[in-house]
């Protein structure tokens, strides 16, 4: 083996060791644990496909959490895409102070999630929160945003827009890569701003939209921290997301075999949706070639 190759492996060895210990081994072990009854304290007991049978036929909370997560993905991902693209179009304008505006919209996406949840818990507090205080000024008594159904679910959906600045930056980078010659040719042909946006900007931006769609969908199916901190899955399991229920089964009830089976079902669902998106992307993603 060449000396340079050995040096390369040495440089990446910390990452490789961490990947093997914290990702690869748990990944492989979960295949076995999903077919066992395991509570950490006692040795795993082989039960075959019993965990999957209980999930599909004896656990209504499993279906409820799956429905909540799917509903969240169907609403929050398209909403985040539309808002992210809209913001990037506005922040791509050549106006005074544009760098300040870009920074202001991006900053919320790097605020720690726990701090964000603490702020929104106050904002949405029905008695002393900012939201209901503003509504009272115009004579409206706001709901209990995080403790009543369906407001709790939609509050989390709206809260997801808080971190849209991360995807907005990627859209903005995509807009900067669109050749100016396309706009110049369109202007010569008499296209107005709307026509340039619809027929040039959005088609040329579809590779970036596709990337953010994939990442947003994966993140939506792993939605956990906000629901865990702010609602604990309530009220009436309306915010019982799949990852939150998986966490409860594993660390609250120490049912690791059951939780491993849930993790593999989630993996199959996410992989299936990702493959479907990849199969359809050639019909609507324009690569400019």
């Amino acid at each position: 083996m060449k000396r340079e190759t050995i040096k390369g492996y040495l440089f990446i060895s910390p990452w490789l060791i961490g990947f093997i210990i914290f990702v690869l081994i748990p990944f492989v072990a979960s295949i076995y644990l999903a077919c066992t009854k395991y509570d950490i304290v006692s040795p795993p007991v082989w039960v075959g496909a019993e965990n999957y049978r209980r999930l599909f036929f004896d656990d209504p909370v499993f279906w409820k959490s799956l429905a909540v997560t799917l509903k969240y993905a169907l609403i929050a991902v398209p909403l985040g895409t539309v808002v992210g693209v809209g913001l990037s179009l506005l922040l791509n304008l050549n106006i005074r102070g544009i760098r300040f505006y870009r920074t202001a919209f991006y900053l919320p996406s790097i605020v720690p999630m726990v701090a964000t949840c603490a702020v929104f818990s106050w904002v949405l507090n029905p008695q002393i929160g900012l939201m209901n205080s503003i509504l009272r000024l115009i004579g409206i008594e706001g709901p209990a945003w995080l403790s009543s159904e369906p407001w709790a679910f939609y509050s989390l959906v709206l809260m997801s827009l808080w971190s849209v600045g991360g995807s907005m930056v990627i859209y903005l980078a995509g807009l900067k890569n669109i050749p100016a010659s396309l706009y110049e040719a369109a202007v010569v042909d008499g296209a107005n701003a709307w026509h340039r946006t619809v027929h040039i900007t959005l088609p040329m931006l579809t590779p970036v939209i596709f990337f953010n769609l994939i990442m947003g969908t994966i993140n939506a199916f792993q939605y956990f921290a906000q629901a865990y901190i702010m609602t604990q899955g309530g009220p009436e399991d309306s915010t019982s997301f799949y990852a939150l229920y998986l966490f409860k089964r594993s660390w609250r009830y120490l049912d690791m075999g059951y939780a491993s089976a849930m993790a593999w079902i989630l993996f199959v669902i996410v992989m299936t949706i990702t493959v479907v998106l990849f199969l359809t992307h050639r019909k609507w993603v324009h690569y400019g070639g």
Side-chain angles (χ1 to χ4, degrees), residues 60-133:
V61 181
F62 163 76
W63 291 107
K64 175 74 175 182
S65 64
L66 190 58
V68 169
T69 306
L70 186 60
K71 180 182 174 182
Y72 176 82
L74 289 173
I75 298 175
V77 175
L79 182 64
T81 301
V82 171
V83 174
V85 172
L87 268 179
S88 64
L89 290 173
L90 290 174
L91 296 177
N92 195 39
L93 299 175
N94 188 21
I95 60 175
R96 188 174 184 181
I98 192 63
R99 292 182 179 178
F100 169 79
Y101 296 127
R102 289 172 182 169
T103 305
F105 278 102
Y106 176 69
L107 276 179
S109 66
I110 59 174
V111 174
M113 185 52 65
V114 175
T116 299
C117 291
V119 170
F120 272 90
S121 294
W122 167 72
V123 169
L124 300 175
N125 185 291
Q127 281 79 42
I128 61 172
L130 178 64
M131 182 69 77
N132 280 3
S133 298

Side-chain angles (χ1 to χ4, degrees), residues 8-35:
Y9 279 115
L10 285 176
F11 274 115
I12 65 171
S13 60
W15 180 88
L16 276 177
I17 294 171
F19 175 78
I20 292 171
I21 294 176
F22 297 111
V23 178
L24 186 60
I25 293 177
F27 183 83
V28 175
S30 68
I31 300 174
Y32 167 71
L33 291 176
C35 297

Side-chain angles (χ1 to χ4, degrees), residues 12-251:
I12 65 171
S13 60
W15 180 88
L16 276 177
I17 294 171
F19 175 78
I20 292 171
I21 294 176
F22 297 111
V23 178
L24 186 60
I25 293 177
F27 183 83
V28 175
S30 68
I31 300 174
Y32 167 71
L33 291 176
C35 297
T36 66
K37 183 177 178 57
Y38 180 48
D39 61 1
I40 298 180
V41 179
S42 308
V45 177
W46 182 264
V47 295
E50 175 62 16
N51 288 328
Y52 294 100
R53 189 199 66 77
R54 288 169 55 201
L55 277 167
F56 289 125
F57 300 107
D58 296 337
D59 191 351
V61 181
F62 163 76
W63 291 107
K64 175 74 175 182
S65 64
L66 190 58
V68 169
T69 306
L70 186 60
K71 180 182 174 182
Y72 176 82
L74 289 173
I75 298 175
V77 175
L79 182 64
T81 301
V82 171
V83 174
V85 172
L87 268 179
S88 64
L89 290 173
L90 290 174
L91 296 177
N92 195 39
L93 299 175
N94 188 21
I95 60 175
R96 188 174 184 181
I98 192 63
R99 292 182 179 178
F100 169 79
Y101 296 127
R102 289 172 182 169
T103 305
F105 278 102
Y106 176 69
L107 276 179
S109 66
I110 59 174
V111 174
M113 185 52 65
V114 175
T116 299
C117 291
V119 170
F120 272 90
S121 294
W122 167 72
V123 169
L124 300 175
N125 185 291
Q127 281 79 42
I128 61 172
L130 178 64
M131 182 69 77
N132 280 3
S133 298
I134 294 174
L135 291 176
R136 287 192 193 100
L137 293 177
I138 55 177
I140 298 175
E141 187 61 33
W145 296 98
L146 297 175
S147 55
S148 64
E149 192 180 5
W151 292 107
F153 175 81
Y154 291 108
S155 296
L156 294 180
V157 171
L158 291 177
M159 185 181 157
S160 68
L161 298 178
W162 174 255
S163 57
V164 77
S167 61
M168 177 269 296
V169 169
I170 300 175
Y171 290 127
L172 199 55
L175 290 173
K176 296 297 182 186
N177 282 332
I178 299 176
S181 58
L182 295 178
Y183 293 110
E184 293 167 358
V187 170
V188 172
D189 290 339
N192 57 30
W194 172 254
H195 290 148
R196 293 196 297 273
T197 301
V198 172
H199 298 292
I200 297 177
T201 304
L202 292 180
M204 295 298 290
L205 201 59
T206 49
V208 184
I209 294 175
F210 177 64
F211 170 77
N212 278 325
L213 179 64
I214 295 287
M215 300 306 296
T217 303
I218 294 173
N219 289 332
F221 276 91
Q222 295 177 336
Y223 192 83
F224 170 75
Q226 297 89 329
Y228 178 73
I229 295 172
M230 299 176 71
T231 65
Q232 286 285 311
E236 300 178 8
D237 291 329
S238 62
T239 60
S240 181
F241 289 87
Y242 194 94
L244 178 60
Y245 183 49
L246 190 156
F247 173 82
K248 289 180 179 178
R249 295 298 307 200
S250 57
W251 296 107

